[in-house]
Amino acid sequence: MLVRWEEATDKAAVYALNESAFGTSAEANLVDILRREAQPIVSLVAEDNKIVVGHIMFTAVSLSGHPGIKIMGLAPLAVAPLHQNTGIGTTLVHAGLQQCKASGYGAAVVLGHPGYYPRFGFKPSARFGIGCEYEVSEEKFMVMELQEGYLHGKTGIIKYHSAFTGL
Ligand SMILES: CC(C)(COP(=O)(O)OP(=O)(O)OC[C@H]1O[C@@H](n2cnc3c(N)ncnc32)[C@H](O)[C@@H]1OP(=O)(O)O)[C@@H](O)C(=O)NCCC(=O)NCCS
């Protein structure tokens, strides 16, 4: 399996992948909008025999009261149904976080399953005094420092790109 940056020619495959993984076109449409409207993004694909079987996207988020802070939001993450539970999601998350870190981001957030993301180092955001603009159960919104101590003393509310509203 190969993990690489998404290219322009992957667009249709990434759309179909998100649609089949989530069972709806909402996330697939979101990816299309973010690709057009959100910069910077980190968008990686996992390829197996030249077929796109996984996709991960990160877009920059803001933290209230801290303009200029560099935090990425992980969403969405999708693995083709027939390839799930074979480690592809794990590989994509590690590769994506590494890319965010290399691009100078100090932390990442994710709104997701509390049984999945802690293995990468994500912790409940409340521990950092950080909340989410959306009303979500506390353990589902998680934060991870990519640079040690980056969030020290930085509390507030995380806001995603407006395309996430209504998802
Ligand atoms: C969630 C998802 C990205 C995980 O990727 P994956 O490649 O299947 O998972 P991996 O092989 O890396 O890891 C397997 C682990 O993930 C867990 N897992 C799989 N799907 C999960 C889900 N929907 N929620 C929580 N945990 C999940 C498995 O139970 C397994 O846990 P274990 O290691 O403790 O046994 C993938 O199943 C998927 O695309 N699901 C549909 C879309 C989705 O829900 N995306 C996540 C949005 S936050």
Side-chain angles (χ1 to χ4, degrees):
M1 196 203 25
L2 170 76
V3 171
R4 59 168 175 79
W5 279 88
E6 184 199 348
E7 291 168 11
T9 49
D10 296 318
K11 198 176 157 199
V14 167
Y15 189 95
L17 167 70
N18 274 284
E19 207 172 31
S20 68
F22 286 98
T24 152
S25 53
E27 286 79 7
N29 290 328
L30 173 69
V31 165
D32 279 356
I33 297 171
L34 291 172
R35 210 190 274 112
R36 277 198 314 270
E37 294 185 2
Q39 287 300 329
I41 61 172
V42 169
S43 186
L44 306 178
V45 295
E47 199 182 77
D48 184 34
N49 286 325
K50 302 215 182 278
I51 297 185
V52 172
V53 293
H55 172 251
I56 192 168
M57 190 174 256
F58 292 82
T59 49
V61 297
S62 62
L63 180 65
S64 59
H66 302 278
I69 197 166
K70 293 194 71 161
I71 304 179
M72 277 297 210
L74 188 176
L77 166 65
V79 175
L82 288 176
H83 291 78
Q84 288 176 8
N85 292 306
T86 61
I88 294 172
T90 299
T91 304
L92 280 169
V93 174
H94 282 304
L97 291 171
Q98 201 176 3
Q99 199 55 56
C100 293
K101 188 175 177 177
S103 303
Y105 284 81
V109 296
V110 69
L111 178 52
H113 202 286
Y116 188 61
Y117 291 100
R119 69 188 70 192
F120 305 104
F122 284 98
K123 299 184 178 103
S125 69
R127 281 199 213 166
F128 294 87
I130 288 176
C132 178
E133 65 173 312
Y134 305 118
E135 233 176 83
V136 290
S137 69
E138 211 170 80
E139 78 277 8
K140 281 192 173 172
F141 190 58
M142 293 164 266
V143 177
M144 176 178 171
E145 287 184 332
L146 300 174
Q147 295 168 25
E148 210 184 320
Y150 187 75
L151 295 173
H152 187 76
K154 296 184 182 113
T155 61
I157 301 295
I158 292 285
K159 249 190 150 171
Y160 284 84
H161 187 278
S162 58
F164 282 91
T165 308
L167 183 69

